Amino acid sequence: MSARDTRPGSTGGADVPGPLYGGPDDDYTPEQLAAMSPLELDRLGARYDGVEILHVDPGPEPGSVMEQRAIRQVGLIWGLAGLFAFLFVLVYVGSGWFLPDWQWSITEGGWSALFTPLLGLFMGLSLTLVGVGLVLFTKKLLPHETAVQDKHDGSHFDRVTAGATLVGSYHNSGLGRRKLITRSLALMGGGVGLMLIMPLGGLIKSPNKGNPLGTTAWGEGVRLVRNDGTPIRPGDQEPGSLETVFPAVPGGNRQADAATMLIRLRPAQVENLQTREGQGDFAYGEYVAYSKICTHAGCPVSLYEQETSRILCPCHQSQFDVTQGAKPVFGPAARALPQLPLDVDDEGFFVARSDYIEAVGPTYWNRERI
Amino acid sequence: MARTATAPGAPTTKLGKAALEVDDRMIVAPWLRRTMNKVYPDHWSFLLGEIALYSFLILLLSGTYLTFFFDASMREVVYEGSYAPLRGVEMSAAYDSALNLSFDVRGGLFMRQLHHWAALLFVASIVVHLLRIFFTGAFRRPRETNWLLGVVMLVLALLMGVTGYTLPDDLLSGTGLRIISAILLSIPVIGTWAHFAVFNGDFVGEQIIGRFYIAHVLIIPAILLALIALHLLILVKQKHTQFPGAGRTEHNVVGNRLFPTFAAKATGLIFVVFGVCAALGGLVQINPIWLWGPYNPAQVSAASQPDWYIGFLDGSTRIFPPWDIELPGDYNIPALFWPTVVVAGLMFTVLALYPMIERRMTGDTASHHLLQRPRDVPVRTALGAMGLTFYVWLMVAGGNDVIADKFDISLNAMTWVGRIGVIILPPIAYALTYRICLGLQQHDREVLEHGIETGVIRRLPSGEFIEVHQPLGPVDEHGHGQLAYGGAPVPKRMNHVGGARRAVRGFFSPVEEPTQVEIEQRAEGRGLATGESSRELTTSGRPSEGGRPSEGGRPQEPRD
Amino acid sequence: MSTTNPQSEATTPEATTPEATTPEATTPEGPARRARARRRSKHRRRLANVAGLMTALVLTGALYSVFAPAQAADDTTESAAEAAGRELYERSCITCHGENLEGVPNRGPSLIGVGEAAVYFQVHTGRMPLVRQEAQAPDKPAVFSDEEIDQLMAYVQANGGGPTLPSGDLRDGDLAEGGELFRLNCASCHNFVGEGGALSSGKHAPSLDDSTDLEIYTALLSGPENMPVFGDNQLTPDEKRSIINYVQTVNTQADPGGAGIGRIGPVGEGLVIWVVGIGALLFGIFWMGSKA
């Protein structure tokens, strides 16, 4: 030991090998271990891990008919797996080369519609067969052992010693006595924690500034236009029809809350028309306009049944009656669809008299306050 | 250090020497041996969680591939790709890139579909795994933490699904996003603030796809990955549960060592799961976004549904009555709040806390490593059946428009069926399950006491006819079995105890083979009479000859 | 993409003959327009102004001069087709739609103003004649032959007036524009690609899988039952053709990603993952766990 301490590069510590980790090397000398068969070594190791092999069903006898059959089976399955894998490669690489083009086109069926299914079929078969072969191999060609392993409950010794270390450190730190340290620690922890999450404040935006939820692009004199931007005259629609209209502002047809249903009622519906209080003059002749955005969850309601005067929402089946101010008559919606006051401008095109007088779309906490 | 290198029996092959070099540096041998020697119980139901694990693996791999092509942006572009019916249509870059991935990337559609099927499978296998854990009582002490982690992962999996479903920005997912927005808005007090924080303003804004994307590909998967690691670590630490059976106790695990049997089977399962997903991914079309069209807030389609795992929330929303609650001060709580936030919140809270609830109710605070058969815990099993009925019923209600359309039923009637069913069906399920459990228990006890019905009728000297019963163990002076019920399956047919006929290999379980005698009899065209005397039989109510238990009379291990 | 509905084409020769025999029609334009319609003139749609009508009158005259001598004359004010149509009407429709098309309260609506388009749609899809009153008339195999349908159309058109059948290639429109219009106007009830969907109280929007071009066109024009009407000023004939082009193209196009499972989205997919996916894997692990 002393000679080695002064070797160059050594810092002076002892340079003898430490004890080997992980096994009772003192109990078993290398010579003893070398004398044991692999099976004995395996069992020895297992015993050290608390595992006992109770029972072994040996695999099939080498050279037996059973073994031959199992080998053929597994071999065939893995062979097929390889074959299908190559077929996958063939289809993937070959399409558009020596096979027809893979790119799907509307006018032809044939290969392009088969490309993806073939890829799936071959990869699916190939991988499934790999797995099946592996399981068959395990079941038919490996010995089956039944092993039992002990479960250890927690050790009292470990608990006590680990606890002592923890408690000792706490005691040494004096945090129990040094109140100032504890308090400043709490302050520091709180402050630093808060500081670190502060940048998330960038996500916060006020929903109450300018009432973005309660207003739309509609307003006095804004024309009703179709998706392609053309304005609408009162004569354009037949009785019993519905058209989705948008405000004539830039990007009006892409706004999430502006879509409106312009409905021309049949004469029979006009006779029975009831409006909501204070909205008696919102209709224009046979025409009524309601927001297309459901007051329940915001889906576009437009499943208009012209005979029963109902509008159905396809998401949660709320039903609204257009002859009763689009009030909900069935389903989970609780609020009528807002009505857009209609008028016709000098050139004879439909315009809105104002924005919707209530918030459009799903209900929220302070909807009625704004 | 190289004591082993010079010791007798040192490796001589190249591979062996290389292994030695590795272990010299890393010291992996003890860890490796412990791992390979770890015993796993062998039962099919323990592989359910693995299906979930492997589908997550597939999701990571295929998802990474998809990110190479996907552009999570809401910038407006005009489609110029190869799908003719959309050429020239304005759409978001996200939808455009998803279309290009489907039509202009070789094998891209296959990978997209593979990813989506694996996602559906991921959640489905989590649910099945959860049901197995629940009904066998595997969540009991000391495994409450892992149960809790599992429920959290289920919720995260749902969030994964929702964010992923939204990404292509097609008309279907956009409708879903619209409903998510409405649900956020419906939260009392903070709803509008939460909405503006998530969407960066009013619906739909320009940020949401990008935000959902980063949540979908980074934040949630990272958390999920960490939780999966923790889940498995705890599993390894606590060791597996097992069903009761011969030689199985609270303090051991009986089964196969990890290497090679269990490892080979598990690897086989990875490939099979991968294969099933690949086959579905190619052969069954999923989410054909080109048919849905780009999202436009003014457009919608009949039968707009979420993926199946959100179906229960869609269903609860559909059948909930229109109860907006008006509060003083012109505030209100929208009807949408209850069936979405509250129902989901309650369901997952109850689920997460169930181990604690059960512990409180039963007062059972002991550690359990042996599983219970569902019939032995009728209250829990009935509660589970009740919850499951509730869940499945909501899911059915979520597809009520498709059911109404396909089976020509009134949609309004379907809504009412949903409303009434959700109230009366769960209690019925509870009562029925409870009764069935008791009946099964009783039958087990009966067989233990009186033996297995052999189907052999004997006439006593007094003229009375009796059926001969095979006792399963030693009997008392009245001929009643003395075996106690041990929580393991009780054999109920003669071939279960090997008493009737020799068993041969079947596909799942042994199949009985006609006895030699029977074959002879068949050949001779005679009845059973001659073969009968060769078997040892006892009658119920009379001691068997010598009171000796017949061979194979003890309950066997459960048939795994 | 084929051109038009083959069945309508097949009716053309028979239909032309009796109609053109009329020496004096009640309204001069009536037979002329019908004759032109039957001939599938490419120009018909563009002749919606007075000049067009004048040309039409001239053409009618020319047609008369060609056909009239060759055919038997009939002195009534009604063409043979209309007369046959009346007979059919009085046998099969009058109970609900009343004498002179004015309708019977609570039984059948008036047919005044519905036009031949409505007759074509209702009768050709088998919805009329109705078997019994229910939430919605179901479609079934047509009761009347194509010739009889033509006669009924002639009768209703002559006595009630209203939208007429279109002519020309009904798929002559822009595919992508048709898709946009379909998603905006039709998908809400008929589903993304026309698979149909449920409506309130037992009604449903039918699947468009088996609909012919002309059926779709006439349905748009007439708004059968609860379907809203899409008049020519709301959806121009060109736009209607675009929609039909889109619907029929998407209906017939192959599914690139394998089996389409009804193209109804997540409900079908959920069923597949539980039945096929979980089913196959449960089978697999059951087999893996079984004893060898």
Side-chain angles (χ1 to χ4, degrees):
Chain A
M1 190 190 284
S2 56
R4 281 172 185 176
D5 285 349
T6 53
R7 219 167 46 173
S10 161
T11 52
D15 192 20
V16 285
L20 280 173
Y21 168 72
D25 275 277
D26 299 334
D27 296 353
Y28 295 93
T29 60
E31 289 73 25
Q32 276 175 309
L33 290 176
M36 291 167 86
S37 73
L39 185 71
E40 286 169 328
L41 285 170
D42 173 56
R43 295 295 143 88
L44 181 65
R47 208 157 53 239
Y48 267 91
D49 293 327
V51 175
E52 195 187 340
I53 312 298
L54 291 179
H55 170 75
V56 178
D57 250 347
E61 199 79 6
S64 67
V65 180
M66 210 181 200
E67 190 198 27
Q68 293 306 320
R69 203 168 57 192
I71 287 175
R72 272 199 304 276
Q73 224 170 27
V74 173
L76 178 73
I77 284 173
W78 276 345
L80 278 176
L83 181 73
F84 285 125
F86 276 113
L87 281 175
F88 177 92
V89 175
L90 201 73
V91 170
Y92 190 88
V93 176
S95 293
W97 179 14
F98 49 84
L99 290 169
D101 197 11
W102 65 273
Q103 276 211 318
W104 192 78
S105 91
I106 190 111
T107 45
E108 54 170 283
W111 189 258
S112 63
L114 281 178
F115 178 68
T116 302
L118 282 179
L119 290 185
L121 182 72
F122 291 142
M123 189 188 268
L125 277 175
S126 172
L127 292 176
T128 309
L129 288 178
V130 171
V132 167
L134 204 52
V135 174
L136 268 185
F137 181 81
T138 318
K139 287 174 73 151
K140 297 205 164 175
L141 288 169
L142 289 183
H144 297 280
E145 52 175 44
T146 306
V148 59
Q149 184 168 27
D150 287 333
K151 262 193 189 101
H152 298 290
D153 292 329
S155 138
H156 180 70
F157 173 81
D158 288 346
R159 285 175 195 160
V160 170
T161 48
T165 309
L166 285 172
V167 171
S169 292
Y170 177 76
H171 188 74
N172 288 343
S173 73
L175 287 180
R177 295 175 286 119
R178 298 164 183 160
K179 290 291 176 213
L180 185 63
I181 298 277
T182 329
R183 284 178 197 148
S184 61
L185 253 179
L187 184 71
M188 180 188 81
V192 170
L194 216 57
M195 175 178 74
L196 289 179
I197 60 162
M198 254 319 101
L200 286 177
L203 288 172
I204 307 290
K205 270 181 103 175
S206 172
N208 301 329
K209 199 183 289 174
N211 191 16
L213 286 168
T215 53
T216 68
W218 293 104
E220 193 183 348
V222 175
R223 269 188 188 163
L224 280 61
V225 293
R226 300 191 176 92
N227 195 30
D228 59 4
T230 52
I232 300 150
R233 289 178 190 279
D236 283 354
Q237 275 177 240
E238 302 290 332
S241 66
L242 174 148
E243 171 133 52
T244 304
V245 295
F246 305 92
V249 297
N253 64 343
R254 305 293 290 174
Q255 283 178 5
D257 51 5
T260 298
M261 297 174 292
L262 181 62
I263 297 166
R264 182 170 176 188
L265 301 170
R266 288 178 295 107
Q269 288 173 305
V270 178
E271 282 170 29
N272 298 326
L273 187 62
Q274 296 160 11
T275 53
R276 287 164 68 195
E277 209 181 304
Q279 303 188 2
D281 57 346
F282 278 19
Y284 183 88
E286 298 167 324
Y287 282 91
V288 286
Y290 297 108
S291 164
K292 195 176 184 174
I293 312 301
C294 187
T295 54
H296 176 235
C299 293
V301 288
S302 52
L303 284 71
Y304 177 46
E305 302 170 4
Q306 57 132 331
E307 281 186 342
T308 54
S309 310
R310 281 189 181 193
I311 288 182
L312 173 74
C313 176
C315 291
H316 305 110
Q317 285 91 44
S318 298
Q319 293 163 23
F320 305 88
D321 190 330
V322 293
T323 59
Q324 299 182 54
K327 82 166 194 201
V329 290
F330 189 83
R335 199 157 63 84
L337 297 170
Q339 190 169 6
L340 187 71
L342 289 178
D343 205 350
V344 167
D345 67 7
D346 301 340
E347 293 174 60
F349 293 116
F350 274 120
V351 291
R353 284 221 311 273
S354 74
D355 193 0
Y356 286 103
I357 58 166
E358 55 191 319
V360 158
T363 307
Y364 50 91
W365 175 245
N366 55 351
R367 180 182 60 82
E368 281 165 37
R369 284 179 65 89
I370 303 182
Chain B
M1 284 291 155
R3 195 190 294 175
T4 322
T6 54
T12 48
T13 59
K14 267 200 171 140
L15 201 64
K17 281 177 181 159
L20 192 63
E21 290 297 316
V22 171
D23 189 58
D24 245 4
R25 288 164 176 79
M26 306 292 174
I27 320 179
V28 289
W31 170 82
L32 190 65
R33 195 196 62 216
R34 265 207 309 281
T35 310
M36 291 194 302
N37 275 334
K38 190 171 167 54
V39 172
Y40 287 83
D42 187 18
H43 190 267
W44 64 269
S45 70
F46 297 155
L47 295 172
L48 291 169
E50 288 187 36
I51 297 180
L53 179 67
Y54 303 146
S55 17
F56 186 69
L57 193 73
I58 299 170
L59 284 172
L60 285 183
L61 292 175
S62 57
T64 307
Y65 177 89
L66 297 183
T67 61
F68 298 156
F69 303 97
F70 183 67
D71 175 9
S73 152
M74 296 174 86
R75 182 168 37 90
E76 287 279 309
V77 296
V78 173
Y79 181 66
E80 298 294 350
S82 35
Y83 184 67
L86 286 172
R87 221 173 278 152
V89 173
E90 266 191 35
M91 55 182 65
S92 67
Y95 184 65
D96 180 61
S97 64
L99 282 180
N100 283 332
L101 174 61
S102 306
F103 287 104
D104 297 301
V105 174
R106 188 184 287 255
L109 178 60
F110 171 62
M111 292 300 279
R112 235 199 78 222
Q113 299 199 131
L114 173 67
H115 188 73
H116 203 138
W117 280 118
L120 295 196
L121 182 66
F122 179 50
V123 193
S125 51
I126 292 179
V127 169
V128 181
H129 175 55
L130 179 138
L131 292 178
R132 201 283 289 172
I133 301 290
F134 180 87
F135 284 114
T136 58
F139 55 82
R140 291 171 300 166
R141 183 188 176 103
R143 294 184 175 75
E144 304 98 324
T145 322
N146 245 7
W147 168 268
L148 197 63
L149 283 178
V151 174
V152 172
M153 284 196 285
L154 173 61
V155 174
L156 286 176
L158 297 190
L159 287 179
M160 269 302 248
V162 167
T163 49
Y165 168 90
T166 307
L167 290 184
D169 202 22
D170 57 278
L171 189 48
L172 184 61
S173 73
T175 307
L177 188 62
R178 182 49 140 160
I179 298 172
I180 294 173
S181 143
I183 292 171
L184 276 175
L185 278 178
S186 77
I187 303 171
V189 188
I190 58 157
T192 52
W193 290 86
H195 184 282
F196 272 58
V198 172
F199 283 79
N200 196 32
D202 199 358
F203 183 80
V204 54
E206 282 154 7
Q207 305 271 320
I208 192 65
I209 296 286
R211 287 185 178 180
F212 271 26
Y213 182 64
I214 208 66
H216 182 76
V217 303
L218 180 71
I219 303 174
I220 309 178
I223 302 174
L224 212 44
L225 211 53
L227 292 185
I228 287 176
L230 196 57
H231 198 66
L232 293 180
L233 211 69
I234 293 177
L235 169 97
V236 168
K237 190 80 201 150
Q238 294 181 332
K239 297 210 168 75
H240 226 293
T241 53
Q242 58 188 347
F243 282 101
R248 301 178 187 188
T249 70
E250 291 281 4
H251 301 285
N252 68 9
V253 184
V254 177
N256 298 318
R257 283 193 286 172
L258 174 82
F259 194 81
T261 316
F262 187 77
K265 280 189 180 178
T267 315
L269 186 59
I270 296 182
F271 281 103
V272 171
V273 173
F274 216 136
V276 168
C277 286
L280 282 172
L283 294 172
V284 189
Q285 184 165 290
I286 188 166
N287 201 20
I289 49 166
W290 55 93
L291 295 178
W292 305 161
Y295 180 56
N296 178 331
Q299 299 174 355
V300 74
S301 163
S304 285
Q305 254 105 6
D307 275 346
W308 76 262
Y309 41 81
I310 303 294
F312 75 103
L313 285 183
D314 202 37
S316 63
T317 310
R318 285 173 183 211
I319 62 177
F320 195 79
W323 292 340
D324 273 6
I325 296 176
E326 303 288 340
L327 298 174
D330 276 348
Y331 292 111
N332 70 77
I333 303 175
L336 185 60
F337 175 65
W338 307 106
T340 53
V341 183
V342 174
V343 164
L346 274 180
M347 277 174 71
F348 287 116
T349 310
V350 170
L351 198 62
L353 295 182
Y354 185 79
M356 299 32 144
I357 297 171
E358 191 183 286
R359 211 167 52 194
R360 180 69 57 86
M361 274 165 41
T362 59
D364 177 7
T365 54
S367 267
H368 295 281
H369 299 286
L370 283 178
L371 297 174
Q372 289 167 308
R373 299 175 81 199
R375 68 184 63 176
D376 293 334
V377 203
V379 174
R380 181 204 297 145
T381 306
L383 280 175
M386 189 167 95
L388 196 61
T389 310
F390 180 72
Y391 174 82
V392 170
W393 193 250
L394 288 186
M395 204 153 78
V396 169
N400 64 2
D401 52 344
V402 174
I403 297 170
D405 185 44
K406 298 289 171 210
F407 298 98
D408 214 2
I409 306 168
S410 161
L411 188 59
N412 298 24
M414 279 303 295
T415 306
W416 276 109
V417 166
R419 285 173 179 172
I420 296 167
V422 86
I423 294 168
I424 63 166
L425 286 182
I428 292 179
Y430 181 94
L432 219 60
T433 315
Y434 192 82
R435 282 285 129 207
I436 291 171
C437 286
L438 291 189
L440 289 170
Q441 271 186 25
Q442 204 172 7
H443 191 238
D444 282 349
R445 304 298 190 279
E446 197 178 291
V447 172
L448 283 172
E449 195 167 330
H450 294 123
I452 301 173
E453 292 173 355
T454 58
V456 176
I457 308 291
R458 270 207 179 145
R459 190 177 180 190
L460 298 184
S462 59
E464 183 192 358
F465 285 96
I466 54 153
E467 184 176 4
V468 180
H469 282 66
Q470 166 70 54
L472 293 168
V475 291
D476 60 18
E477 66 273 20
H478 301 296
H480 288 159
Q482 290 171 323
L483 276 180
Y485 179 70
V490 175
K492 296 202 172 156
R493 284 203 303 273
M494 287 303 285
N495 57 341
H496 286 166
V497 294
R501 289 157 179 172
R502 198 160 71 84
V504 293
R505 265 183 317 110
F507 194 78
F508 285 134
S509 56
V511 184
E512 54 195 277
E513 190 180 62
T515 56
Q516 194 56 40
V517 180
E518 202 173 22
I519 293 168
E520 282 164 18
Q521 284 166 351
R522 267 187 214 159
E524 294 164 26
R526 281 187 290 128
L528 205 67
T530 44
E532 203 183 331
S533 57
S534 64
R535 270 180 271 159
E536 186 195 3
L537 295 166
T538 55
T539 56
S540 144
R542 283 199 308 168
S544 65
E545 293 152 56
R548 181 170 60 91
S550 63
E551 271 184 13
R554 263 167 293 136
Q556 285 197 322
E557 297 175 18
R559 211 160 292 282
D560 294 346
Chain C
M1 273 168 269
S2 78
T3 49
T4 47
N5 172 14
Q7 282 163 311
S8 314
E9 275 178 335
T11 65
T12 314
E14 305 98 87
T16 319
T17 337
E19 184 185 307
T21 55
T22 326
E24 296 166 42
T26 37
T27 50
E29 304 97 301
R33 283 173 59 174
R34 276 203 302 283
R36 277 183 293 110
R38 297 294 145 81
R39 287 169 154 269
R40 302 259 170 271
S41 160
K42 279 269 185 188
H43 308 294
R44 190 217 159 277
R45 278 182 295 109
R46 291 165 202 150
L47 302 179
N49 49 32
V50 182
L53 285 175
M54 295 303 288
T55 322
L57 283 170
V58 173
L59 262 171
T60 317
L63 271 174
Y64 275 133
S65 62
V66 173
F67 287 111
Q71 282 136 13
D74 188 339
D75 264 330
T76 57
T77 52
E78 203 169 50
S79 73
E82 286 164 20
R86 173 185 292 280
E87 203 173 298
L88 287 170
Y89 180 87
E90 286 173 356
R91 203 171 62 216
S92 304
C93 322
I94 200 162
T95 329
C96 299
H97 293 292
E99 268 181 277
N100 306 320
L101 312 176
E102 81 266 5
V104 176
N106 298 326
R107 227 187 269 165
S110 162
L111 298 185
I112 293 166
V114 301
E116 61 179 10
V119 177
Y120 177 83
F121 176 83
Q122 296 286 359
V123 183
H124 195 262
T125 60
R127 285 179 167 77
M128 293 293 146
L130 201 57
V131 177
R132 61 177 173 277
Q133 299 280 354
E134 50 192 323
Q136 183 174 348
D139 50 348
K140 52 186 184 292
V143 172
F144 296 111
S145 69
D146 286 342
E147 189 187 352
E148 289 170 325
I149 294 173
D150 279 336
Q151 292 163 346
L152 268 176
M153 286 197 300
Y155 171 71
V156 172
Q157 188 69 29
N159 294 289
T164 55
L165 294 193
S167 61
D169 182 359
L170 294 183
R171 297 190 188 180
D172 181 19
D174 184 80
L175 196 56
E177 187 204 5
E180 276 295 279
L181 288 167
F182 185 83
R183 285 187 291 275
L184 187 64
N185 293 299
C186 320
S188 52
C189 301
H190 290 285
N191 187 300
F192 297 106
V193 282
E195 294 301 330
L199 294 175
S200 74
S201 305
K203 297 181 284 291
H204 67 275
S207 159
L208 305 180
D209 281 353
D210 303 322
S211 300
T212 64
D213 297 351
L214 196 57
E215 283 169 7
I216 298 175
Y217 198 104
T218 50
L220 284 166
L221 213 50
S222 63
E225 298 191 75
N226 270 304
M227 176 166 158
V229 185
F230 293 89
D232 278 350
N233 288 328
Q234 183 181 343
L235 276 180
T236 65
D238 277 335
E239 289 173 335
K240 289 195 178 80
R241 281 159 215 260
S242 300
I243 289 177
I244 292 171
N245 188 10
Y246 178 76
V247 172
Q248 302 291 33
T249 306
V250 172
N251 257 339
T252 50
Q253 85 189 18
D255 285 314
I261 49 171
R263 293 176 167 181
I264 49 164
V267 173
E269 293 157 7
L271 220 58
V272 168
I273 198 62
W274 277 100
V275 175
V276 179
I278 289 286
L281 287 171
L282 280 183
F283 183 85
I285 60 175
F286 209 64
W287 169 69
M288 276 178 203
S290 66
K291 293 259 186 287

